[in-house]
Amino acid sequence: MPKQKVGKGETVISLAKKKGFDWRTVWDHGENAELKAKRKDPSLLFETDEIFFPEKQLKEVSKSTDAEHTFKRKGDPCKIKLQLLKLGKPRANEDYTFNVEGTIINGKTDAEGNIEHFISSAAKSAKLILRGGKEEYPVKVGYLDPIEEVVGIQQRLNNLGHNCAESGKLDEKTKAALKKFQADKKLEVTGEIDDATKAKLQSLSK
C-alpha cells in the first residue's frame, strides 16, 4: 500500500481514527520509523510528510462460550493544553467555558493559567470563552506544525504574543519577533533559530 501525504492540520491520531486504526499501530509500524524519528510526536506532522497505513487484519480472541466477556475499545488519547497569560503573567484561577464543536467544558485555570482537557481526535476547532462571555477566542485544533519547520517557529511565536506572518520563511518580521522573544527570555539576542531559542519555544508550547 503506498504512503499517503498528510494534509494541513492532520495528525497520526486523527488520520488513524478515520481509517479505523489505533494510532499506535500506525505510529509504531516499521514503514513509519523514519517519520517517527523525524517528528517524535504523533500530534505534530507537517503537510509535506507521508505516512504509511498497513492492511487491516481481523483480530481473533479465544473465549469460552459459557460466560459473558467485556471488550474495551481503545479511545481517543487526544488532549488539548493551553496557557492563558495577560501581560506575560498567568491568568490564574479564572473561570472559563471551552466549546469544542458543540461539546461544552466548564472549568477554572490552575495557578499557572493552564487549561488541559481530553477531546476528540476529530475536533478541528474550538472557542474559549472568558469573563462570562466578555472575551471569546477561536482556537484551531491540530494546526500546530513541527518546531523543526520555520512555520512551526512562527506559530509558537504568534501564540506567545510575538507577532509575525506564518510565511514559512525566516523574514525580517520573523527575525524581529525572535529577537523580542530572546530578549524577554534572557537568551542571546540573535534573531536566528538557534538551539536555545528552539528549546525554549518547545518548553512553552507543550
mmCIF file of all heavy atoms in Angstrom, residues 114-151:
data_model
loop_
_atom_site.group_PDB
_atom_site.id
_atom_site.type_symbol
_atom_site.label_atom_id
_atom_site.label_comp_id
_atom_site.label_asym_id
_atom_site.label_seq_id
_atom_site.Cartn_x
_atom_site.Cartn_y
_atom_site.Cartn_z
ATOM 1 N N ASN A 114 -3.128 27.417 33.328
ATOM 2 C CA ASN A 114 -3.228 26.305 32.383
ATOM 3 C C ASN A 114 -4.647 25.753 32.265
ATOM 4 O O ASN A 114 -5.397 25.713 33.251
ATOM 5 C CB ASN A 114 -2.293 25.168 32.802
ATOM 6 C CG ASN A 114 -0.827 25.554 32.675
ATOM 7 O OD1 ASN A 114 -0.414 26.101 31.664
ATOM 8 N ND2 ASN A 114 -0.054 25.272 33.700
ATOM 9 N N ILE A 115 -4.971 25.298 31.055
ATOM 10 C CA ILE A 115 -6.205 24.570 30.755
ATOM 11 C C ILE A 115 -5.785 23.264 30.106
ATOM 12 O O ILE A 115 -4.935 23.246 29.213
ATOM 13 C CB ILE A 115 -7.107 25.357 29.788
ATOM 14 C CG1 ILE A 115 -7.616 26.643 30.452
ATOM 15 C CG2 ILE A 115 -8.272 24.509 29.312
ATOM 16 C CD1 ILE A 115 -8.367 27.548 29.485
ATOM 17 N N GLU A 116 -6.364 22.149 30.529
ATOM 18 C CA GLU A 116 -5.983 20.845 29.982
ATOM 19 C C GLU A 116 -7.193 19.923 29.981
ATOM 20 O O GLU A 116 -7.811 19.700 31.026
ATOM 21 C CB GLU A 116 -4.861 20.248 30.834
ATOM 22 C CG GLU A 116 -4.266 18.979 30.293
ATOM 23 C CD GLU A 116 -3.036 18.535 31.073
ATOM 24 O OE1 GLU A 116 -2.235 19.400 31.480
ATOM 25 O OE2 GLU A 116 -2.889 17.320 31.283
ATOM 26 N N HIS A 117 -7.556 19.414 28.781
ATOM 27 C CA HIS A 117 -8.726 18.545 28.664
ATOM 28 C C HIS A 117 -8.521 17.514 27.555
ATOM 29 O O HIS A 117 -7.886 17.797 26.540
ATOM 30 C CB HIS A 117 -9.982 19.355 28.320
ATOM 31 C CG HIS A 117 -10.478 20.220 29.427
ATOM 32 N ND1 HIS A 117 -11.108 19.719 30.545
ATOM 33 C CD2 HIS A 117 -10.418 21.570 29.593
ATOM 34 C CE1 HIS A 117 -11.420 20.719 31.354
ATOM 35 N NE2 HIS A 117 -11.014 21.844 30.799
ATOM 36 N N PHE A 118 -9.097 16.321 27.744
ATOM 37 C CA PHE A 118 -9.173 15.339 26.672
ATOM 38 C C PHE A 118 -10.285 15.773 25.714
ATOM 39 O O PHE A 118 -11.347 16.212 26.156
ATOM 40 C CB PHE A 118 -9.491 13.951 27.225
ATOM 41 C CG PHE A 118 -8.311 13.274 27.857
ATOM 42 C CD1 PHE A 118 -8.193 13.195 29.230
ATOM 43 C CD2 PHE A 118 -7.320 12.722 27.064
ATOM 44 C CE1 PHE A 118 -7.101 12.574 29.812
ATOM 45 C CE2 PHE A 118 -6.213 12.100 27.633
ATOM 46 C CZ PHE A 118 -6.101 12.021 29.015
ATOM 47 N N ILE A 119 -10.008 15.656 24.412
ATOM 48 C CA ILE A 119 -11.010 15.984 23.404
ATOM 49 C C ILE A 119 -10.967 14.936 22.301
ATOM 50 O O ILE A 119 -10.042 14.123 22.228
ATOM 51 C CB ILE A 119 -10.778 17.387 22.794
ATOM 52 C CG1 ILE A 119 -9.429 17.443 22.069
ATOM 53 C CG2 ILE A 119 -10.873 18.472 23.856
ATOM 54 C CD1 ILE A 119 -9.212 18.716 21.276
ATOM 55 N N SER A 120 -11.947 14.953 21.429
ATOM 56 C CA SER A 120 -11.988 14.014 20.311
ATOM 57 C C SER A 120 -10.864 14.305 19.323
ATOM 58 O O SER A 120 -10.553 15.467 19.033
ATOM 59 C CB SER A 120 -13.336 14.122 19.595
ATOM 60 O OG SER A 120 -13.305 13.424 18.367
ATOM 61 N N SER A 121 -10.265 13.253 18.783
ATOM 62 C CA SER A 121 -9.200 13.430 17.789
ATOM 63 C C SER A 121 -9.737 14.014 16.486
ATOM 64 O O SER A 121 -8.980 14.502 15.652
ATOM 65 C CB SER A 121 -8.524 12.096 17.500
ATOM 66 O OG SER A 121 -9.449 11.181 16.940
ATOM 67 N N ALA A 122 -11.062 13.975 16.298
ATOM 68 C CA ALA A 122 -11.671 14.518 15.073
ATOM 69 C C ALA A 122 -11.896 16.022 15.156
ATOM 70 O O ALA A 122 -12.195 16.658 14.150
ATOM 71 C CB ALA A 122 -12.992 13.811 14.794
ATOM 72 N N ALA A 123 -11.775 16.595 16.338
ATOM 73 C CA ALA A 123 -12.049 18.027 16.521
ATOM 74 C C ALA A 123 -11.031 18.880 15.758
ATOM 75 O O ALA A 123 -9.837 18.594 15.764
ATOM 76 C CB ALA A 123 -12.027 18.384 18.002
ATOM 77 N N LYS A 124 -11.510 19.933 15.115
ATOM 78 C CA LYS A 124 -10.648 20.830 14.358
ATOM 79 C C LYS A 124 -10.693 22.266 14.871
ATOM 80 O O LYS A 124 -9.817 23.071 14.561
ATOM 81 C CB LYS A 124 -11.051 20.820 12.878
ATOM 82 C CG LYS A 124 -10.748 19.520 12.160
ATOM 83 C CD LYS A 124 -9.267 19.259 12.059
ATOM 84 C CE LYS A 124 -8.958 18.000 11.284
ATOM 85 N NZ LYS A 124 -7.510 17.722 11.219
ATOM 86 N N SER A 125 -11.735 22.599 15.622
ATOM 87 C CA SER A 125 -11.863 23.975 16.088
ATOM 88 C C SER A 125 -12.546 24.013 17.449
ATOM 89 O O SER A 125 -13.224 23.067 17.853
ATOM 90 C CB SER A 125 -12.654 24.818 15.084
ATOM 91 O OG SER A 125 -13.981 24.319 14.958
ATOM 92 N N ALA A 126 -12.353 25.116 18.138
ATOM 93 C CA ALA A 126 -12.960 25.311 19.458
ATOM 94 C C ALA A 126 -13.067 26.808 19.719
ATOM 95 O O ALA A 126 -12.525 27.634 18.970
ATOM 96 C CB ALA A 126 -12.137 24.625 20.542
ATOM 97 N N LYS A 127 -13.788 27.141 20.772
ATOM 98 C CA LYS A 127 -13.905 28.545 21.170
ATOM 99 C C LYS A 127 -13.705 28.631 22.687
ATOM 100 O O LYS A 127 -14.326 27.887 23.439
ATOM 101 C CB LYS A 127 -15.273 29.110 20.796
ATOM 102 C CG LYS A 127 -15.451 30.590 21.148
ATOM 103 C CD LYS A 127 -16.862 31.074 20.856
ATOM 104 C CE LYS A 127 -17.144 31.090 19.375
ATOM 105 N NZ LYS A 127 -18.494 31.648 19.070
ATOM 106 N N LEU A 128 -12.826 29.511 23.095
ATOM 107 C CA LEU A 128 -12.573 29.733 24.516
ATOM 108 C C LEU A 128 -13.308 30.996 24.949
ATOM 109 O O LEU A 128 -13.130 32.062 24.342
ATOM 110 C CB LEU A 128 -11.069 29.891 24.770
ATOM 111 C CG LEU A 128 -10.646 30.141 26.212
ATOM 112 C CD1 LEU A 128 -11.001 28.961 27.103
ATOM 113 C CD2 LEU A 128 -9.146 30.412 26.284
ATOM 114 N N ILE A 129 -14.134 30.871 25.975
ATOM 115 C CA ILE A 129 -14.959 31.982 26.451
ATOM 116 C C ILE A 129 -14.552 32.338 27.876
ATOM 117 O O ILE A 129 -14.525 31.472 28.756
ATOM 118 C CB ILE A 129 -16.456 31.608 26.404
ATOM 119 C CG1 ILE A 129 -16.843 31.191 24.977
ATOM 120 C CG2 ILE A 129 -17.322 32.766 26.871
ATOM 121 C CD1 ILE A 129 -18.198 30.542 24.876
ATOM 122 N N LEU A 130 -14.221 33.605 28.081
ATOM 123 C CA LEU A 130 -13.764 34.087 29.388
ATOM 124 C C LEU A 130 -14.641 35.240 29.876
ATOM 125 O O LEU A 130 -15.348 35.870 29.087
ATOM 126 C CB LEU A 130 -12.313 34.562 29.298
ATOM 127 C CG LEU A 130 -11.278 33.547 28.795
ATOM 128 C CD1 LEU A 130 -9.945 34.235 28.548
ATOM 129 C CD2 LEU A 130 -11.099 32.409 29.793
ATOM 130 N N ARG A 131 -14.581 35.480 31.172
ATOM 131 C CA ARG A 131 -15.280 36.602 31.804
ATOM 132 C C ARG A 131 -16.762 36.632 31.433
ATOM 133 O O ARG A 131 -17.315 37.657 31.082
ATOM 134 C CB ARG A 131 -14.602 37.915 31.432
ATOM 135 C CG ARG A 131 -13.149 38.028 31.886
ATOM 136 C CD ARG A 131 -12.486 39.274 31.369
ATOM 137 N NE ARG A 131 -13.186 40.458 31.833
ATOM 138 C CZ ARG A 131 -13.249 41.606 31.164
ATOM 139 N NH1 ARG A 131 -12.663 41.710 29.971
ATOM 140 N NH2 ARG A 131 -13.890 42.644 31.663
ATOM 141 N N GLY A 132 -17.382 35.445 31.504
ATOM 142 C CA GLY A 132 -18.811 35.363 31.266
ATOM 143 C C GLY A 132 -19.250 35.768 29.881
ATOM 144 O O GLY A 132 -20.384 36.219 29.682
ATOM 145 N N GLY A 133 -18.368 35.620 28.908
ATOM 146 C CA GLY A 133 -18.708 35.950 27.531
ATOM 147 C C GLY A 133 -18.146 37.279 27.051
ATOM 148 O O GLY A 133 -18.309 37.635 25.885
ATOM 149 N N LYS A 134 -17.467 38.017 27.933
ATOM 150 C CA LYS A 134 -16.885 39.302 27.532
ATOM 151 C C LYS A 134 -15.654 39.117 26.639
ATOM 152 O O LYS A 134 -15.280 40.020 25.892
ATOM 153 C CB LYS A 134 -16.519 40.116 28.766
ATOM 154 C CG LYS A 134 -17.733 40.579 29.569
ATOM 155 C CD LYS A 134 -17.311 41.398 30.773
ATOM 156 C CE LYS A 134 -18.541 41.857 31.575
ATOM 157 N NZ LYS A 134 -18.166 42.637 32.774
ATOM 158 N N GLU A 135 -15.030 37.958 26.740
ATOM 159 C CA GLU A 135 -13.890 37.636 25.878
ATOM 160 C C GLU A 135 -14.151 36.287 25.207
ATOM 161 O O GLU A 135 -14.524 35.327 25.869
ATOM 162 C CB GLU A 135 -12.591 37.539 26.688
ATOM 163 C CG GLU A 135 -12.140 38.837 27.320
ATOM 164 C CD GLU A 135 -10.835 38.652 28.089
ATOM 165 O OE1 GLU A 135 -9.866 38.103 27.515
ATOM 166 O OE2 GLU A 135 -10.794 39.039 29.270
ATOM 167 N N GLU A 136 -13.956 36.235 23.890
ATOM 168 C CA GLU A 136 -14.094 34.991 23.143
ATOM 169 C C GLU A 136 -12.912 34.849 22.184
ATOM 170 O O GLU A 136 -12.563 35.803 21.488
ATOM 171 C CB GLU A 136 -15.408 34.954 22.353
ATOM 172 C CG GLU A 136 -16.649 34.889 23.235
ATOM 173 C CD GLU A 136 -17.918 34.634 22.417
ATOM 174 O OE1 GLU A 136 -17.792 34.434 21.180
ATOM 175 O OE2 GLU A 136 -19.009 34.638 23.002
ATOM 176 N N TYR A 137 -12.309 33.667 22.174
ATOM 177 C CA TYR A 137 -11.143 33.432 21.330
ATOM 178 C C TYR A 137 -11.314 32.127 20.543
ATOM 179 O O TYR A 137 -11.547 31.075 21.139
ATOM 180 C CB TYR A 137 -9.873 33.331 22.191
ATOM 181 C CG TYR A 137 -9.600 34.570 23.009
ATOM 182 C CD1 TYR A 137 -9.968 34.625 24.356
ATOM 183 C CD2 TYR A 137 -8.987 35.682 22.443
ATOM 184 C CE1 TYR A 137 -9.731 35.769 25.117
ATOM 185 C CE2 TYR A 137 -8.744 36.821 23.184
ATOM 186 C CZ TYR A 137 -9.116 36.857 24.525
ATOM 187 O OH TYR A 137 -8.889 37.990 25.273
ATOM 188 N N PRO A 138 -11.212 32.196 19.204
ATOM 189 C CA PRO A 138 -11.251 30.959 18.417
ATOM 190 C C PRO A 138 -9.942 30.191 18.610
ATOM 191 O O PRO A 138 -8.863 30.789 18.759
ATOM 192 C CB PRO A 138 -11.387 31.469 16.980
ATOM 193 C CG PRO A 138 -10.785 32.841 17.001
ATOM 194 C CD PRO A 138 -11.065 33.402 18.374
ATOM 195 N N VAL A 139 -10.041 28.889 18.622
ATOM 196 C CA VAL A 139 -8.866 28.033 18.806
ATOM 197 C C VAL A 139 -8.837 26.988 17.697
ATOM 198 O O VAL A 139 -9.811 26.265 17.499
ATOM 199 C CB VAL A 139 -8.900 27.318 20.183
ATOM 200 C CG1 VAL A 139 -7.685 26.402 20.333
ATOM 201 C CG2 VAL A 139 -8.961 28.326 21.321
ATOM 202 N N LYS A 140 -7.744 26.926 16.957
ATOM 203 C CA LYS A 140 -7.564 25.877 15.958
ATOM 204 C C LYS A 140 -6.979 24.657 16.660
ATOM 205 O O LYS A 140 -6.041 24.784 17.443
ATOM 206 C CB LYS A 140 -6.616 26.335 14.844
ATOM 207 C CG LYS A 140 -7.211 27.356 13.896
ATOM 208 C CD LYS A 140 -6.223 27.664 12.770
ATOM 209 C CE LYS A 140 -6.818 28.625 11.762
ATOM 210 N NZ LYS A 140 -5.854 28.912 10.666
ATOM 211 N N VAL A 141 -7.523 23.495 16.357
ATOM 212 C CA VAL A 141 -7.070 22.258 16.987
ATOM 213 C C VAL A 141 -6.299 21.423 15.970
ATOM 214 O O VAL A 141 -6.800 21.145 14.881
ATOM 215 C CB VAL A 141 -8.264 21.446 17.536
ATOM 216 C CG1 VAL A 141 -7.767 20.153 18.192
ATOM 217 C CG2 VAL A 141 -9.060 22.282 18.526
ATOM 218 N N GLY A 142 -5.084 21.043 16.311
ATOM 219 C CA GLY A 142 -4.287 20.181 15.436
ATOM 220 C C GLY A 142 -3.518 20.914 14.354
ATOM 221 O O GLY A 142 -2.954 20.285 13.463
ATOM 222 N N TYR A 143 -3.475 22.241 14.403
ATOM 223 C CA TYR A 143 -2.828 23.001 13.337
ATOM 224 C C TYR A 143 -1.442 23.517 13.717
ATOM 225 O O TYR A 143 -0.883 24.354 13.029
ATOM 226 C CB TYR A 143 -3.709 24.184 12.912
ATOM 227 C CG TYR A 143 -4.854 23.767 12.025
ATOM 228 C CD1 TYR A 143 -6.042 23.290 12.564
ATOM 229 C CD2 TYR A 143 -4.736 23.806 10.634
ATOM 230 C CE1 TYR A 143 -7.089 22.884 11.757
ATOM 231 C CE2 TYR A 143 -5.788 23.406 9.816
ATOM 232 C CZ TYR A 143 -6.960 22.946 10.386
ATOM 233 O OH TYR A 143 -7.992 22.539 9.583
ATOM 234 N N LEU A 144 -0.865 23.026 14.805
ATOM 235 C CA LEU A 144 0.482 23.434 15.179
ATOM 236 C C LEU A 144 1.481 22.571 14.419
ATOM 237 O O LEU A 144 1.477 21.345 14.533
ATOM 238 C CB LEU A 144 0.689 23.272 16.686
ATOM 239 C CG LEU A 144 2.001 23.841 17.254
ATOM 240 C CD1 LEU A 144 2.023 25.367 17.094
ATOM 241 C CD2 LEU A 144 2.148 23.459 18.723
ATOM 242 N N ASP A 145 2.327 23.210 13.614
ATOM 243 C CA ASP A 145 3.313 22.478 12.822
ATOM 244 C C ASP A 145 4.544 22.143 13.661
ATOM 245 O O ASP A 145 4.802 22.776 14.690
ATOM 246 C CB ASP A 145 3.716 23.313 11.600
ATOM 247 C CG ASP A 145 2.611 23.374 10.552
ATOM 248 O OD1 ASP A 145 2.010 22.314 10.284
ATOM 249 O OD2 ASP A 145 2.346 24.464 10.010
ATOM 250 N N PRO A 146 5.328 21.150 13.235
ATOM 251 C CA PRO A 146 6.534 20.771 13.987
ATOM 252 C C PRO A 146 7.499 21.937 14.145
ATOM 253 O O PRO A 146 7.626 22.785 13.259
ATOM 254 C CB PRO A 146 7.150 19.664 13.122
ATOM 255 C CG PRO A 146 6.010 19.110 12.336
ATOM 256 C CD PRO A 146 5.118 20.289 12.059
ATOM 257 N N ILE A 147 8.195 21.946 15.267
ATOM 258 C CA ILE A 147 9.111 23.051 15.552
ATOM 259 C C ILE A 147 10.334 23.023 14.631
ATOM 260 O O ILE A 147 11.060 24.011 14.519
ATOM 261 C CB ILE A 147 9.540 23.020 17.034
ATOM 262 C CG1 ILE A 147 10.083 24.390 17.461
ATOM 263 C CG2 ILE A 147 10.552 21.894 17.292
ATOM 264 C CD1 ILE A 147 10.239 24.554 18.950
ATOM 265 N N GLU A 148 10.557 21.893 13.952
ATOM 266 C CA GLU A 148 11.673 21.805 13.002
ATOM 267 C C GLU A 148 11.415 22.635 11.743
ATOM 268 O O GLU A 148 12.347 22.912 10.981
ATOM 269 C CB GLU A 148 11.927 20.346 12.604
ATOM 270 C CG GLU A 148 12.443 19.461 13.727
ATOM 271 C CD GLU A 148 11.353 18.979 14.649
ATOM 272 O OE1 GLU A 148 10.158 19.116 14.289
ATOM 273 O OE2 GLU A 148 11.683 18.466 15.733
ATOM 274 N N GLU A 149 10.161 23.020 11.523
ATOM 275 C CA GLU A 149 9.801 23.841 10.367
ATOM 276 C C GLU A 149 9.726 25.315 10.779
ATOM 277 O O GLU A 149 9.292 25.629 11.887
ATOM 278 C CB GLU A 149 8.454 23.402 9.798
ATOM 279 C CG GLU A 149 8.352 21.914 9.477
ATOM 280 C CD GLU A 149 9.249 21.511 8.321
ATOM 281 O OE1 GLU A 149 9.569 22.381 7.476
ATOM 282 O OE2 GLU A 149 9.618 20.317 8.245
ATOM 283 N N VAL A 150 10.132 26.218 9.883
ATOM 284 C CA VAL A 150 10.093 27.651 10.193
ATOM 285 C C VAL A 150 8.681 28.090 10.553
ATOM 286 O O VAL A 150 8.475 28.875 11.484
ATOM 287 C CB VAL A 150 10.634 28.493 9.010
ATOM 288 C CG1 VAL A 150 10.453 29.987 9.289
ATOM 289 C CG2 VAL A 150 12.107 28.191 8.780
ATOM 290 N N VAL A 151 7.676 27.565 9.835
ATOM 291 C CA VAL A 151 6.296 27.956 10.136
ATOM 292 C C VAL A 151 5.901 27.496 11.545
ATOM 293 O O VAL A 151 5.094 28.146 12.218
ATOM 294 C CB VAL A 151 5.323 27.407 9.067
ATOM 295 C CG1 VAL A 151 5.205 25.888 9.138
ATOM 296 C CG2 VAL A 151 3.955 28.061 9.194
#
